[in-house]
Amino acid sequence: QVQLVESGGGLVQAGGSLRLSCAASGRTSSTYSMGWFRQAPGKEREFVARISWTVSRTDYADSVKGRFTISRDYAKNTVYLQMNSLKPEDTAVYYCAASGKVGAPSLVYEYAYWGQGTQVTVSS
């Protein structure tokens, strides 16, 4: 089992920045990727970004490329999502997730462990 706890959400004006954190505990040795997803009201949960836990590889959704940066602190078992130039359409609940799937998983079903989510609201 892997436990994930997100923090760092909040209310920000358009153009502002937020940094989300995700602290992982438990059987993190079985984790290959850590990802961030988001879900807006009435919409499907969607992929935002992912990072390989042991190698330097990241992937991003087209909608956040150039604005969001995912990173990890291996010693602290923590993954971060730096979000800059935020837009109202970035408003959603953001979830951290862990996957044991080798490769570059970006689909919801490829992630077995999920955090409780943190709300990000961007006002116009």
Side-chain angles (χ1 to χ4, degrees), residues 11 33 47 97:
L11 172 65
S33 288
F47 169 75

Side-chain angles (χ1 to χ4, degrees), residues 1-4 23-34 53-54 74 77 97-101 112-113:
Q1 293 281 348
V2 176
Q3 293 79 42
L4 304 171
S25 60
R27 291 190 60 189
T28 57
S29 60
S30 65
T31 297
Y32 184 85
S33 288
M34 297 289 292
W53 195 238
T54 55
Y74 198 74
N77 277 350
S99 173
K101 185 177 174 64
Y113 302 101

Side-chain angles (χ1 to χ4, degrees), residues 12-114:
V12 65
Q13 288 189 329
S17 299
L18 282 174
R19 188 177 82 155
L20 306 183
S21 299
C22 173
S25 60
R27 291 190 60 189
T28 57
S29 60
S30 65
T31 297
Y32 184 85
S33 288
M34 297 289 292
W36 286 97
F37 290 74
R38 65 187 182 186
Q39 188 167 17
K43 294 189 176 181
E44 299 280 327
R45 191 168 297 189
E46 65 176 5
F47 169 75
V48 174
R50 62 158 295 280
I51 187 166
S52 299
W53 195 238
T54 55
V55 299
S56 182
R57 174 178 175 173
T58 59
D59 296 284
Y60 297 91
D62 288 343
S63 59
V64 306
K65 278 181 182 176
R67 300 188 298 123
F68 290 11
T69 303
I70 189 170
S71 61
R72 73 195 189 291
D73 184 326
Y74 198 74
K76 295 182 178 180
N77 277 350
T78 300
V79 174
Y80 304 97
L81 185 68
Q82 178 66 43
M83 305 185 294
N84 298 328
S85 302
L86 283 161
K87 305 175 181 180
E89 51 263 44
D90 294 319
T91 295
V93 177
Y94 283 70
Y95 296 91
C96 176
S99 173
K101 185 177 174 64
V102 175
S106 62
L107 301 177
V108 170
Y109 77 86
E110 294 179 303
Y111 287 77
Y113 302 101
W114 294 83

